Amino acid sequence: FFQDEGTFRRLVEEARGGSPVVGREVAWRRPDGSELTVRLTLNPLRRRDQLTVEGVVENITEQRRLEETARHAQKMEAVGRLAGGVAHDFNNLLTVITGEARILLADPSLEPDLRESLEAVLEAGTRGTNLTRQLLTVSRRQVVRPVALEVNEVVRRVEIMLTRLLGEKVVLSTRLEGELPPARAVE
């Protein structure tokens, strides 16, 4: 039954040494090859002139599986709380950035190049806000509400941003379909 024969010998020798082995967890293998975890208690017994070992075995495989499932759920909950906290703080920063960009864009005397740069800042801030919304959804602090999106419009906005990021040496080419129905997605 023992996966490691050496473990069996060590436990029996420990019990034969005169002290009981209490609550030791070991891995066993069934004849069909499946694994299980058991908790052993071995007590030394002296009968006449012979020392023997009496053992009590408790199958705790399911208990360990449930504990592992609970640990995983706790980790996922912690990740969700962390994502929610980061998203909240990041959203506060984005609110300032997009707010300032909107104020500056309201100036009619703004130079065209500066206006274009500010519009890119505003677009990136808006996309960041959407990302934080997704993080809040993962952390279960916000309900998912799909909205109708114009796919071509989304591609155009990303194209503008990528063109600025890629620089003059890279040519970005897109082919958009004509009239597409709106797609329902989470922004």
Side-chain angles (χ1 to χ4, degrees):
F1 292 112
F2 283 83
Q3 284 189 18
D4 176 22
E5 198 63 34
T7 302
F8 170 71
R9 284 193 217 99
R10 283 190 300 277
L11 290 172
V12 169
E13 288 305 314
E14 189 177 333
R16 284 185 178 158
S19 59
V21 174
V22 180
R24 196 75 54 90
E25 292 183 20
V26 295
W28 276 14
R29 187 178 308 276
R30 291 185 177 110
D32 68 2
S34 61
E35 296 178 5
L36 64 149
T37 304
V38 297
R39 183 179 295 133
L40 293 176
T41 299
L42 303 175
N43 293 305
L45 293 174
R46 185 164 298 279
R47 291 195 179 149
R48 298 186 189 112
D49 289 336
Q50 187 177 2
L51 182 64
T52 61
V53 175
E54 172 190 61
V56 177
V57 179
E58 177 187 5
N59 183 350
I60 58 170
T61 306
E62 184 65 13
Q63 178 183 344
R64 290 296 171 255
R65 189 190 67 73
L66 291 173
E67 288 172 356
E68 183 59 34
T69 300
R71 270 193 297 278
H72 181 70
Q74 288 172 338
K75 288 178 190 175
M76 294 308 293
E77 183 181 340
V79 167
R81 280 196 309 268
L82 177 63
V86 169
H88 179 73
D89 291 344
F90 191 60
N91 203 40
N92 289 341
L93 296 171
L94 289 171
T95 299
V96 172
I97 292 168
T98 56
E100 292 296 320
R102 282 188 179 98
I103 290 170
L104 293 169
L105 283 168
D107 182 357
S109 65
L110 204 58
E111 294 179 19
D113 285 349
L114 188 54
R115 178 172 298 283
E116 190 177 323
S117 293
L118 284 170
E119 286 171 350
V121 168
L122 185 59
E123 174 65 24
T126 301
R127 286 187 29 253
T129 300
N130 291 335
L131 178 61
T132 60
R133 188 176 304 126
Q134 291 171 2
L135 285 172
L136 288 169
T137 299
V138 168
S139 70
R140 295 184 185 100
R141 292 185 182 187
Q142 186 170 2
V143 178
V144 177
R145 290 190 186 101
V147 295
L149 294 175
E150 298 294 331
V151 176
N152 286 340
E153 182 57 33
V154 172
V155 172
R156 282 187 201 99
R157 288 188 311 217
V158 172
E159 182 181 25
I160 291 168
M161 182 196 68
L162 286 177
T163 301
R164 296 176 138 273
L165 290 174
L166 296 173
E168 297 173 4
K169 294 182 180 179
V170 178
V171 176
L172 178 64
S173 175
T174 57
R175 258 191 349 229
L176 303 177
E177 285 295 320
E179 295 297 317
L180 293 174
R184 294 197 48 83
V186 177
E187 273 192 296

